[in-house]
Amino acid sequence: MFLFVLGVLVLSAVLSLQSVSFSYPKRKALNGICFRVEAGEKIALVGPNGAGKTTLFLITAGVLDGYEGEVLVAGHEPGQRSQDGDGIRDVGIVFQNTEDQLFHTTVFDDIAFGPLNLGLDKEIVHQRVHSVMETVGLNHDLETEFPLHLSGGQRRRVALAGVLAMEPKMLLLDEPSSDLDPRGRRELVNLLNSLEITKVISSHNMDLVAETCSRALVLDGGELVADGPIQDVLGNRDLMMKHGLEVPAAFQ
């Protein structure tokens, strides 16, 4: 999205948060969060359990409302229709538990679900399904398979393909390596690094984010306590220990 300010062309952020706070009935989950995400950035969102990472994702994706402050996704509030009017697709979120995202009887139907609900022509949907399956490295022979019968790595790819098929401007990935073995984790790293789309990756796997991200945000107690180049942030042993995290092997 482009904005004209006093005759100057300015590129707006893909995501902008200004003084964002959110409370559940018995606790405050976020407190005055401020940051911007520019197009093409690869950002790690890290912090201990209960830091507010999932809450932040759900607000950004338009799932949670009732927050204080301002959240803009591609220039508009979360959950509103994309500026081109084709549907709610500015943000794509891949949840930690892929079973929560896969609910059709075939891989093809799961990937096609989002684009079909955008009202796209069936021929276009077929083209998108085939294209994103190639992008994430899924064999087309799997189109008729039951998603929950696939391996953890394959399920993760199906869930990601379903999000990419909606052509979002930004991907949110919540613990993307949680159910993967070492081979699956390596394949995931290679896949994520091949995607040019703007990404925010929430993970406790410091090695994974060190290999896939260039900037790190650290949340703790609902507050943003650090924001900077990933090696400067995750390589800061005192900072990491203070907030219950570990320095990734690459930065030791």
Side-chain angles (χ1 to χ4, degrees):
M1 176 183 176
F2 296 93
L3 300 176
F4 283 93
V5 180
L6 297 179
V8 178
L9 184 64
V10 179
L11 180 64
S12 70
V14 177
L15 174 63
S16 174
L17 289 88
Q18 294 292 329
S19 302
V20 175
S21 298
F22 182 85
S23 295
Y24 293 106
K26 294 185 178 181
R27 67 180 179 90
K28 191 159 193 172
L30 297 175
N31 184 27
I33 302 296
C34 298
F35 66 87
R36 287 167 58 94
V37 177
E38 306 297 338
E41 283 198 281
K42 282 78 174 174
I43 296 177
L45 178 66
V46 301
N49 288 335
K53 302 185 298 296
T54 298
T55 298
L56 184 57
F57 268 12
L58 294 177
I59 289 174
T60 302
V63 177
L64 275 182
D65 203 353
Y67 56 85
E68 300 174 7
E70 180 185 75
V71 181
L72 295 177
V73 180
H76 56 81
E77 293 182 359
Q80 289 187 349
R81 284 189 174 271
S82 176
Q83 293 292 323
D84 56 19
D86 287 342
I88 304 171
R89 64 180 193 183
D90 286 321
V91 176
I93 183 168
V94 180
F95 295 105
Q96 176 177 354
N97 298 316
T98 53
E99 290 83 356
D100 295 339
Q101 213 157 342
L102 305 176
F103 46 87
H104 280 281
T105 56
T106 71
V107 167
F108 182 93
D109 288 340
D110 252 318
I111 298 173
F113 176 78
L116 285 173
N117 276 272
L118 292 178
L120 299 179
D121 182 82
K122 288 186 177 180
E123 183 176 346
I124 294 176
V125 172
H126 275 74
Q127 292 172 354
R128 286 200 185 182
V129 171
H130 293 155
S131 176
V132 296
M133 287 187 71
E134 291 181 3
T135 296
V136 303
L138 285 172
N139 192 303
H140 290 293
D141 293 342
L142 296 176
E143 285 186 7
T144 58
E145 293 292 321
F146 183 49
L148 298 184
H149 287 170
L150 302 178
S151 69
Q154 289 173 324
R155 291 197 302 271
R156 181 71 58 186
R157 289 170 186 266
V158 173
L160 179 56
V163 172
L164 290 175
M166 299 179 72
E167 298 186 349
K169 294 181 175 66
M170 177 173 62
L171 272 180
L172 307 178
L173 298 111
D174 190 6
E175 296 291 352
S177 64
S178 62
D179 55 353
L180 301 181
D181 59 20
R183 177 187 294 176
R185 177 194 165 281
R186 172 50 52 194
E187 292 174 346
L188 175 67
V189 167
N190 292 336
L191 172 57
L192 292 178
N193 284 336
S194 72
L195 299 175
E196 295 300 323
I197 187 173
T198 307
K199 295 184 287 288
V200 181
I201 302 174
S202 173
S203 181
H204 288 110
N205 189 327
M206 297 297 105
D207 291 318
L208 179 136
V209 296
E211 293 180 81
T212 56
C213 300
S214 57
R215 175 183 167 197
L217 307 175
V218 181
L219 281 183
D220 196 359
E223 297 188 352
L224 183 63
V225 298
D227 177 359
I230 194 157
Q231 185 163 359
D232 293 348
V233 175
L234 301 193
N236 185 329
R237 186 175 300 276
D238 291 340
L239 173 70
M240 297 293 278
M241 291 184 65
K242 180 179 179 180
H243 298 288
L245 302 169
E246 296 180 334
V247 176
F251 299 156
Q252 291 182 6

